[in-house]
């Protein structure tokens, strides 16, 4: 697999690799080792760490960002001269040991992973089967540990598959996020729904803003659709100022998909077309009834209804 520098796409590839390796069920004795590259130059103060492995099942890479303190023993040197480096990532599921060279911009070297047998005992006590070495490694890289599992259990998420746990950690579906949703009336949202909400930015704050505008308890797939298509609280407020209040969610999404913008509505109103139904506005945009076309038809035919405008546009008049 090829790896880019962006966090989320790389992480999705990591999940796919984890699933493939889990299906292959490698032996516990298989070692996890490979090469690492590190970049200190992130603007947020975190470090970008790229891990590259070659196994009997193929080659796979992942790239994630970490706080410097997650890498015990690593300090950022000053100057461009390389110096030896040895540091560790110690998590509940295991320990990754790094050796190599670093300078002020970053570094590279080799790593080796050792699973924590005590964590596997804990894992099996929760009703799971044995961890593969790849699962233990991935849990370590994304900090799937005792607290995360305990927090999920306390919230009713007692037996989430390993791939789901990793996905939740990658995308920030934390216990705090779940509690915030629960306080807003969203009880036991499925794991894939939680992950989708996090990926697309359907946060608790987004839900609260919509509530303040009269949209109460929108289904999670509706919230995600609104975020994907840009049906933001600002968009809702702009429509309300133009006389369009409490438009259903599917109507808001359809308007965004087809380009029914507040400016388009405002210009239509200036031409005398007030309170045009949402379905008609969408139809106008679908069939290319632009503001210039409306002006042209009004100059040519006088008052023309919305239905007539759409019909004339469909027939090329």
């Amino acid at each position: 697999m090829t790896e880019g520098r962006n966090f989320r796409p790389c992480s999705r590839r990591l999940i796919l690799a984890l699933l493939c390796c889990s299906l292959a069920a490698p032996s516990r004795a298989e070692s996890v080792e490979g090469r690492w590259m590190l970049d200190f130059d992130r603007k947020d103060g975190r470090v970008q760490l790229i891990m590259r492995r070659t196994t009997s099942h193929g080659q796979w890479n992942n790239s994630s960002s970490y706080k410097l303190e997650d890498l015990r023993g690593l300090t950022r040197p000053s100057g461009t001269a390389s110096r030896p480096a040895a540091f560790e990532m110690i998590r509940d599921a295991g320990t990754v040991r790094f050796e190599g060279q670093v300078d002020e911009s970053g570094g590279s070297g080799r790593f080796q992973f050792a699973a924590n047998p005590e964590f596997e005992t804990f894992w099996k006590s929760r009703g799971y089967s044995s961890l593969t070495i790849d699962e233990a490694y991935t849990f370590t890289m994304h900090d799937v540990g005792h607290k995360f599992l305990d927090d999920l259990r306390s919230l009713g998420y007692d037996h989430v598959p390993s791939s789901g746990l990793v996905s939740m950690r990658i995308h920030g579906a934390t216990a705090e996020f779940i509690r915030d949703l629960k306080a807003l009336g969203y009880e036991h949202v499925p794991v894939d729904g939680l992950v989708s909400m996090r990926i697309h930015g359907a946060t608790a704050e987004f839900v609260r803003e919509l509530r303040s505008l009269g949209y109460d308890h929108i289904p999670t797939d509706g919230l995600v659709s609104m975020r994907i298509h840009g049906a933001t609280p600002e968009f809702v407020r702009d429509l309300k100022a133009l006389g369009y209040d409490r438009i259903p969610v599917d109507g808001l999404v359809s308007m965004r998909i087809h380009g029914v913008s507040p400016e388009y509505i405002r210009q239509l109103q200036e031409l005398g077309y007030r309170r045009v139904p949402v379905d008609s506005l969408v139809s106008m945009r679908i069939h290319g009834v632009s503001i210039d076309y409306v002006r042209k038809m009004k100059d040519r035919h006088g008052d023309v209804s919305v239905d007539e405008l759409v019909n004339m546009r469909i027939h090329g008049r």
Side-chain angles (χ1 to χ4, degrees):
M1 288 192 297
T2 350
E3 189 57 51
R5 301 284 291 190
N6 293 326
F7 173 62
R8 282 180 177 165
C10 301
S11 302
R12 293 189 188 108
R13 294 190 186 102
L14 175 59
I15 294 170
L16 181 59
L18 169 63
L19 290 172
C20 291
C21 292
S22 297
L23 288 172
S27 68
R28 187 71 185 178
E30 183 180 348
S31 65
V32 174
E33 55 187 28
R35 301 197 65 83
W36 59 270
M37 291 191 301
L38 182 142
D39 186 356
F40 283 119
D41 290 332
R42 285 178 58 104
K43 292 181 180 178
D44 58 5
R46 295 168 71 90
V47 296
Q48 194 73 22
L49 183 63
I50 300 171
M51 310 285 280
R52 294 181 173 171
R53 291 182 56 205
T54 301
T55 73
S56 57
H57 309 289
Q59 185 171 12
W60 52 286
N61 308 334
N62 68 280
S63 176
S64 301
S65 69
Y66 298 93
K67 295 181 290 187
L68 188 59
E69 52 264 38
D70 290 332
L71 303 172
R72 189 175 302 181
L74 176 65
T75 56
R76 183 175 187 174
S78 57
T80 57
S82 294
R83 64 174 64 179
F87 54 97
E88 297 177 318
M89 177 184 288
I90 302 173
R91 297 275 173 77
D92 290 345
T95 299
V96 185
R97 293 182 173 87
F98 302 83
E99 290 186 350
Q101 300 280 323
V102 294
D103 60 25
E104 65 181 2
S105 63
S108 63
R110 299 198 64 84
F111 72 87
Q112 191 166 43
F113 170 70
N116 179 4
E118 292 180 1
F119 181 78
E120 180 165 8
T121 301
F122 167 79
W123 175 254
K124 291 167 74 174
S125 75
R126 290 299 179 85
Y128 292 96
S129 57
S130 296
L131 280 174
T132 68
I133 190 70
D134 290 291
E135 287 174 322
Y137 167 72
T138 306
F139 279 13
T140 299
M141 297 307 298
H142 294 290
D143 200 15
V144 177
H146 296 95
K147 186 177 187 308
F148 184 60
L149 292 168
D150 286 343
D151 285 346
L152 290 184
R153 189 179 201 181
S154 72
L155 292 166
Y157 294 82
D158 195 23
H159 206 269
V160 180
S162 58
S163 60
L165 292 169
V166 173
S167 188
M168 291 175 78
R169 290 297 286 167
I170 287 170
H171 297 293
T174 62
E176 182 181 5
F177 176 66
I178 296 170
R179 289 189 196 99
D180 283 346
L181 291 180
K182 189 174 181 179
L184 291 167
Y186 292 87
E187 295 275 352
H188 208 79
V189 178
V191 168
D192 57 351
L194 293 170
V195 170
S196 185
M197 290 177 76
R198 289 295 303 172
I199 288 172
H200 297 291
T203 62
E205 181 57 32
F206 180 68
V207 175
R208 282 190 283 268
E209 278 195 82
L210 290 174
R211 279 194 171 183
S212 72
L213 294 167
Y215 291 85
D216 192 20
H217 208 83
I218 299 168
T220 57
D221 57 349
L223 292 169
V224 170
S225 185
M226 291 179 76
R227 289 294 302 175
I228 288 171
H229 297 291
T232 63
E234 181 182 7
F235 179 66
V236 174
R237 282 190 286 269
D238 287 345
L239 292 178
K240 187 174 183 178
L242 292 165
Y244 290 83
D245 195 13
R246 299 296 300 274
I247 298 170
V249 168
D250 57 351
L252 292 169
V253 170
S254 185
M255 291 172 82
R256 288 294 300 169
I257 288 172
H258 297 291
V260 182
S261 66
E263 182 59 25
Y264 180 75
I265 297 171
R266 192 175 296 112
Q267 289 180 306
L268 282 177
Q269 290 182 349
E270 290 171 356
L271 291 169
Y273 294 89
R274 297 185 175 276
R275 296 298 304 167
V276 178
V278 169
D279 287 349
S280 296
L281 289 167
V282 170
S283 182
M284 291 173 79
R285 291 297 294 167
I286 287 173
H287 296 291
V289 180
S290 66
I291 297 300
D292 286 343
Y293 181 79
V294 176
R295 289 194 185 102
K296 188 187 296 183
M297 292 302 103
K298 283 180 67 72
D299 289 343
R300 187 180 300 173
H301 302 289
D303 288 336
V304 185
S305 70
V306 167
D307 289 343
E308 288 172 326
L309 286 167
V310 172
N311 189 53
M312 287 190 293
R313 196 73 182 94
I314 288 172
H315 294 94
R317 294 167 57 187

